[in-house]
Amino acid sequence: MTDLARLLHADGPNPEHAAALQLYGRFVGDWDAEITAHEPDGTKHTAPGEIHFGWVLEGRAVQDVWIIPRPAGSPALPIAGNWYGTTLRVYDPTIDAWRISWFDPGRCIFRQQIGRPRDADIVQEGTTEAGDLTRWSFTEITEDFFHWLGEVKPATAADWRLVVDVRAKRRTTCERTAILDWA
């Protein structure tokens, strides 16, 4: 192992923008998730997954890893596929918003978005390479739960379409210990 992990990881938010950094900082930790993929005809497919958030880059950013479905080697979730990707969320005080980059190299999916609070939710907006609009939202946020919605709106469409929704529950200390003991 190189020094990369030590240099990337941070113990908490950078004091310079600590309050603003809590928009995503509140998710730092380990989460179990239920993922539902929605086909255009209304058919739904569900699989388990996991999400891990942490402070990085001197506490100036939050990075996460989304793994869907779990366990590794499971068949791909229809519509959504297998995710093993990471998001880098960096607060930009010049626009009072977050610059968001999602990378899923296994599926060659790369997204850029801008994230902001909207009432009690967090909404991230961007476009795909094909010009479709994307909207990813964190809703129903509590200390131990969030609901994430992945929506798309093709340039020629009038309405948004829900593609994936994720219901995530924070792992307890006992659950984290059991997983470490099992591995």
Side-chain angles (χ1 to χ4, degrees):
M1 175 77 71
T2 67
D3 285 336
L4 176 63
R6 180 181 58 79
L7 295 169
L8 181 64
H9 174 77
D11 291 329
N14 189 289
E16 185 178 6
H17 300 291
L21 290 167
Q22 287 304 323
L23 185 68
Y24 289 102
R26 62 182 141 176
F27 299 121
V28 168
D30 303 304
W31 301 76
D32 290 312
E34 178 182 270
I35 296 82
T36 304
H38 300 263
E39 293 198 41
D41 69 3
T43 303
K44 297 178 184 178
H45 307 275
T46 303
E50 58 188 277
I51 309 165
H52 307 273
F53 291 82
W55 293 106
V56 297
L57 303 174
E58 298 180 317
R60 297 179 187 280
V62 174
Q63 186 168 8
D64 57 50
V65 175
W66 294 57
I67 304 168
I68 300 166
R70 185 184 69 196
S74 297
L77 183 61
I79 302 298
N82 287 333
W83 299 3
Y84 200 105
T86 188
T87 315
L88 187 61
R89 304 170 196 278
V90 179
Y91 176 68
D92 183 346
T94 66
I95 61 171
D96 193 27
W98 288 72
R99 296 191 185 271
I100 303 189
S101 296
W102 162 254
F103 309 94
D104 186 341
R107 298 184 306 141
C108 292
I109 305 278
F110 308 96
R111 296 285 177 263
Q112 300 287 315
Q113 296 180 318
I114 299 293
R116 291 185 169 91
R118 184 176 296 160
D119 298 321
D121 300 337
I122 303 170
V123 179
Q124 302 174 188
E125 298 174 310
T127 56
T128 68
E129 297 83 1
D132 295 343
L133 300 176
T134 61
R135 180 171 63 196
W136 298 351
S137 306
F138 288 83
T139 67
E140 303 173 49
I141 302 166
T142 69
E143 183 176 323
D144 296 319
F145 178 85
F146 67 83
H147 187 192
W148 181 91
L149 305 167
E151 300 172 286
V152 66
K153 183 178 176 296
T156 58
D159 297 315
W160 289 92
R161 184 175 77 77
L162 180 62
V163 179
V164 177
D165 76 272
V166 176
R167 295 179 182 279
K169 181 182 174 207
R170 189 182 298 274
R171 287 184 186 162
T172 65
T173 303
C174 294
E175 290 169 325
R176 285 190 294 264
T177 302
I179 288 169
L180 291 174
D181 288 346
W182 181 77

